[in-house]
């Protein structure tokens, strides 16, 4: 019982730190579906299709546009349109 308690105390913080993954460098993805301000869409990121939400809640991002991935929240990528940085 003591070993189990010790494992929970030392190992649990390692799992809690891994929940919120921040993508170190903004990387590019391409939208597959439109991402509207209030809805999620889909992007192609590193060869996989991901749910994505736009960090800019003002305008929609049309399909087949390049976007930058800022971070990941659960299974949803937070993206911004590439034209913001140009």
């Amino acid at each position: 019982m003591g070993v189990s308690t010790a494992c929970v105390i030392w190992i649990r913080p390692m799992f809690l730190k891994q929940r919120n993954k921040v993508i170190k460098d903004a990387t590019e993805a391409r939208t597959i579906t439109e991402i509207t301000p209030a809805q999620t869409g889909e992007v192609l990121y590193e060869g996989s299709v991901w749910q994505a939400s736009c960090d800019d809640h003002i305008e929609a991002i049309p399909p087949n546009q390049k976007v930058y991935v800022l971070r990941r929240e659960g299974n949803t990528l937070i993206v911004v349109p590439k034209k913001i940085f140009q």
Side-chain angles (χ1 to χ4, degrees):
M1 191 159 150
V3 172
S4 295
T5 303
C7 287
V8 168
I9 291 170
W10 284 311
I11 294 175
R12 186 169 182 230
M14 289 189 299
F15 290 113
L16 293 176
K17 288 180 185 177
Q18 294 177 359
R19 278 198 174 164
N20 292 330
K21 298 265 184 177
V22 175
I23 298 173
K24 294 179 183 178
D25 297 325
T27 55
E28 289 185 1
R30 183 166 294 275
T31 57
I32 296 174
T33 62
E34 182 179 32
I35 302 173
T36 59
Q39 300 287 328
T40 59
E42 292 181 340
V43 296
L44 183 62
Y45 175 68
E46 293 184 348
S48 298
V49 177
W50 288 74
Q51 290 273 333
S53 176
C54 184
D55 197 40
D56 178 24
H57 298 288
I58 298 172
E59 68 179 74
I61 303 173
N64 202 24
Q65 296 292 314
K66 285 188 179 180
V67 293
Y68 285 115
V69 178
L70 299 178
R71 64 185 179 277
R72 187 178 97 188
E73 292 179 358
N75 289 335
T76 304
L77 297 177
I78 307 300
V79 299
V80 291
K82 187 175 179 181
K83 67 181 180 180
I84 287 179
F85 296 105
Q86 295 176 346

